[in-house]
Structure formats: structure tokens, C-alpha cells
Amino acid sequence: MKRPADNWSPLYFLASVGAGGLAVTFFMYLMFWVPHPNAPVPVFEDIMNAWAKGNPFQQFAIVAAMAGIAFFVIQNVRYLIWNFGKLAEFKKTEAYQKLRHSNGETQLLAMPLAVAMSINAMFIVGLVFVPQLWSIVEYLFPAALVAFFLTGVLALRMIGHFLGRVLSEGGLFDVTAHNSFAQLLPAFALAMVAVGLSAPAAMSTTPLTVGTALVVSTFFGLIATIYAIVAAVTAFNSMLHYGTHKEAGPTLMIIIPLMTVLGIMVLRQEHGLHTTFDVHTNAAETLMTLTKFLTVQVLFLLLGLTVLSRQGYASTFLTGDKNSAGSYALVCPGVALSVMTQFWLHKGLVAAGLVAKFSMTYWVIIAIALMFQFAMVALVLHLNRRHFGKSKMVAVPAE
């Protein structure tokens, strides 16, 4: 009996990343529909108070959010642990050494990406399910900074091994196999670290903690941006020459989650600069910033969907006979668009006074965010069944 997931690839870490991202989409219900006057994010006490005093819609949203967070964080941790076990086995094989000496070495960056996502997910679990957590949160922020920083250092070391190998000598990087955005995975990992590091900047009231978070998140965020630009430009040149690698087609939309995590990082930094260092940014400026991020996302969504449609990706890897661990890369763009739409609506349109909260226009935009979210929930469940839930009989050679 053999499942597609038994043919393991580092890209299966994206199964953990996608589940963690979906937990974040459910947290958006609490973030924007539960009042939290004493903290920048909703905590357990705010949620319980909203449950006691809220209307049926608000109570339903709270139940859905808490159930969604619990379910997908469990999946996030489950697949993270499973992948670490598989990675340990993989390191003992010749295939690992071969991977380390090919373009595919950057697939290993899916591991620190998944770790950073899981740290973010654990923080959400603490906010939602742990009473009185906010009373000790100033002690937790330094620990979170250390955890994210160490994850970032791990990612930089892995990137350094790859770049040191291919840049020290010629001929070690296959340009003909660079015809996708697969090489942007390291940038995504660094950006995930950066957005985690920026959280204390928005939530802490200790100047040293805020200042540290601002500096280190900027460090990793800027490196992620530079790396993404270089990798995207060189990859696009290769795609123009050789076309887009069919199995790596979903990577064309990796820019979408990259924009969301960097956009949230910017919002967190602006909040920290405002509350701690008296640097002011008005709602219209925030709206314009988020609109620029969202515009880039829509551009690459259209590009990615166009190429995937022309190549018949879905009929090959989602419903056809072939399977690819890279299919999990399709989850991140939908999750990222759902989250960014929520922020663009609430921190941009509503805050700037262009859309009234709970108006008809408001609910139309919310429906778009929910459409992306529900589609990704369905996709994750489908991929999990396809890769992990089904076993196929394989021929065993006679002795």
C-alpha cells in the first residue's frame, strides 16, 4: 500500500504552512468582529465578553472562528511533526545529497517557513484559548523574538549554503530549470520570519521590545524583498526562453502570500512607531499602501491562473493521475488574498471612511474574502485526501 505522500519531498512542509494560514483566516473573524479595547488584538477575555453580550451572528462567528482555529492549528502541528520525521529519514539517502547539489536545494527552505508559520499559529492559540495571557505577554514577546530570530538565522544559513555553492563556481546552477518562481521560496521563508518579528512592535508597550522588533523585522523583511526581486527577474527571463515548468506552475503566485506577510509587517511596524515613538500615519496613507500590495497580488493571481489554465494543471495534478507535493503551494495565495482583503477593507476602506462597517458594500467585500477562504478550505481537504488519505496497491516484484 502506498500513498502519494510516501514519495516524500520537502515541499510537503507546505501542507503545514497551508493549515496554519487557514487558522489565520479564521482569526480574522475575531480580529475585526470582536471588540478589544484594551489590546491591539482580541484575547480570551474579549472573546468571552463578546459571546456573553453579542448577537446571534457574533456568537456564530466566534464559534466558527474558534473551531476553525483549533482544527487547522492541530493540522498545522501534525503535518509539521510528520515532515520533520520524514526529513530526518530523507537526510540519510542519496536523494538528499543529490538535492543539495541541484536547483532544488531551496525546497529545503519550506522547513523554516513552516516553523515560522507554526510559531505564529501558537501565538494565535494562546490569544484565543488561554485566559489571562495578556497579563504576562510582555514576558512572552522576548521569547517570541528569540524563536523567530533563530528561525531566521536557520533560513539564512540554508540560503548561504545554496548561494555560496552556486556563486563560488560557475556551472552549478541550471538556468534552464529556473523557469518558475520556485526560487522565491527562500524569500517567502524570510518574510514569514519578518512578519512574526514585527508582532511585538505592534503589541508591546515596552520601548526596548518595540524597538528591537522594528529593527530585526526590517532586517529580515528587506532581505526577503531583495531576494524576491532578484529571483523573480532571473526566473522570468528563463520562463520567457523555456516556458513555465508545468509542475512548478503554482509558484507563479508565490508573490501573493509574500505581499500579504510583508504588508502585515508594514502595518505592525507603523502601529508600533505610532504608539511608542509618536510617528503618525493616517488612514488614507494606510489605504494607499494596502491598495498597492493588493494590486500586485491581483496581477500575479491573473498571471498564475492564466498559465495554469493553459497548461491544464488542475486536470493533471488535482483531478488527474499525477500528484505533486507542489500542489500545496496553491493554498497560500488563496489564504493570503482572504487575509489581505480583510485588512484592506477594515484598515483601509473602513478606517478611511470610504465604506461604512456592516453596510451592503462592506458585506460584498467580506463575501470575497470568505470566498477565498472557503475555496482554500475545500482545496486543503481535497489535497489531504489525495496525498495522505488514499492508498494505492503497488506491484511488488516476485523474488
Side-chain angles (χ1 to χ4, degrees):
M1 304 294 289
K2 193 170 181 65
R3 308 172 304 172
D6 293 328
N7 185 25
W8 188 80
S9 158
L11 293 180
Y12 273 115
F13 273 104
L14 296 179
S16 175
V17 175
L22 282 172
V24 176
T25 64
F26 282 98
F27 183 70
M28 293 296 98
Y29 298 5
L30 305 176
M31 181 72 182
F32 297 117
W33 294 336
V34 169
H36 42 95
N38 300 317
V41 289
V43 297
F44 177 83
E45 289 74 20
D46 296 320
I47 297 168
M48 292 301 100
N49 185 58
W51 170 263
K53 300 179 180 179
N55 55 48
F57 163 76
Q58 195 172 33
Q59 292 177 333
F60 174 80
I62 289 172
V63 171
M66 296 182 75
I69 290 168
F71 176 79
F72 283 108
V73 168
I74 290 172
Q75 298 301 308
N76 166 263
V77 175
R78 171 192 172 193
Y79 286 119
L80 181 68
I81 295 172
W82 178 82
N83 274 288
F84 269 119
K86 287 293 185 179
L87 177 61
E89 296 174 5
F90 183 63
K91 286 184 176 180
K92 301 175 184 178
T93 66
E94 292 184 6
Y96 173 73
Q97 297 302 326
K98 184 178 179 180
L99 183 70
R100 292 272 291 192
H101 292 84
S102 69
N103 290 20
E105 181 180 4
T106 52
Q107 292 181 15
L108 295 169
L109 269 296
M111 183 265 285
L113 168 63
V115 171
M117 173 58 83
S118 293
I119 299 173
N120 280 311
M122 289 300 101
F123 194 76
I124 288 176
V125 168
L127 293 175
V128 175
F129 294 103
V130 180
Q132 299 299 317
L133 181 73
W134 203 252
S135 63
I136 61 169
V137 74
E138 290 296 343
Y139 299 99
L140 299 178
F141 285 141
L145 286 173
V146 171
F148 279 115
F149 184 80
L150 291 177
T151 305
V153 170
L154 172 62
L156 287 176
R157 289 187 61 184
M158 296 172 73
I159 294 171
H161 183 276
F162 171 71
L163 291 180
R165 178 176 62 81
V166 301
L167 295 179
S168 60
E169 301 179 33
L172 297 179
F173 185 81
D174 186 358
V175 179
T176 63
H178 187 33
N179 54 335
S180 71
F181 278 176
Q183 294 300 326
L184 270 71
L185 185 58
F188 189 15
L190 292 174
M192 189 64 71
V193 169
V195 74
L197 287 168
S198 67
M203 302 179 196
S204 177
T205 57
T206 304
L208 179 59
T209 301
V210 174
T212 302
L214 287 170
V215 171
V216 291
S217 63
T218 299
F219 174 80
F220 283 100
L222 189 56
I223 293 177
T225 302
I226 295 172
Y227 196 104
I229 292 173
V230 173
V233 170
T234 55
F236 203 80
N237 179 63
S238 183
M239 285 187 285
L240 290 174
H241 281 82
Y242 307 106
T244 302
H245 188 281
K246 185 173 182 178
E247 190 172 352
T251 64
L252 291 177
M253 296 185 286
I254 197 173
I255 295 291
I256 298 173
L258 191 65
M259 290 295 99
T260 290
V261 293
L262 290 177
I264 294 174
M265 182 197 74
V266 169
L267 290 180
R268 289 174 169 178
Q269 289 179 335
E270 289 180 349
H271 186 79
L273 288 169
H274 169 68
T275 57
T276 304
F277 298 104
D278 202 31
V279 177
H280 299 284
T281 300
N282 60 45
E285 291 173 323
T286 300
L287 171 63
M288 292 306 299
T289 298
L290 291 175
T291 300
K292 292 170 185 175
F293 279 109
L294 187 59
T295 300
V296 175
Q297 290 179 311
V298 172
L299 170 64
F300 281 92
L301 174 67
L302 297 175
L303 173 64
L305 291 179
T306 298
V307 174
L308 291 176
S309 176
R310 291 289 294 270
Q311 291 185 329
Y313 183 91
S315 61
T316 302
F317 296 105
L318 298 183
T319 60
D321 294 332
K322 295 184 179 180
N323 292 286
S324 171
S327 296
Y328 278 97
L330 291 170
V331 178
C332 294
V335 166
L337 282 167
S338 178
V339 173
M340 179 57 82
T341 301
Q342 290 270 17
F343 274 98
W344 180 66
L345 171 61
H346 292 96
K347 298 297 184 181
L349 296 174
V350 173
L354 294 179
V355 173
K357 195 169 185 178
F358 304 131
S359 65
M360 181 62 69
T361 303
Y362 174 90
W363 288 116
V364 169
I365 299 174
I366 285 291
I368 296 173
L370 295 180
M371 177 189 68
F372 284 120
Q373 180 192 25
F374 295 157
M376 292 307 100
V377 169
L379 178 59
V380 163
L381 296 178
H382 171 73
L383 290 175
N384 288 349
R385 286 194 302 269
R386 186 176 177 91
H387 287 261
F388 295 92
K390 294 181 178 180
S391 298
K392 295 181 179 180
M393 294 298 298
V394 295
V396 179
E399 295 182 0

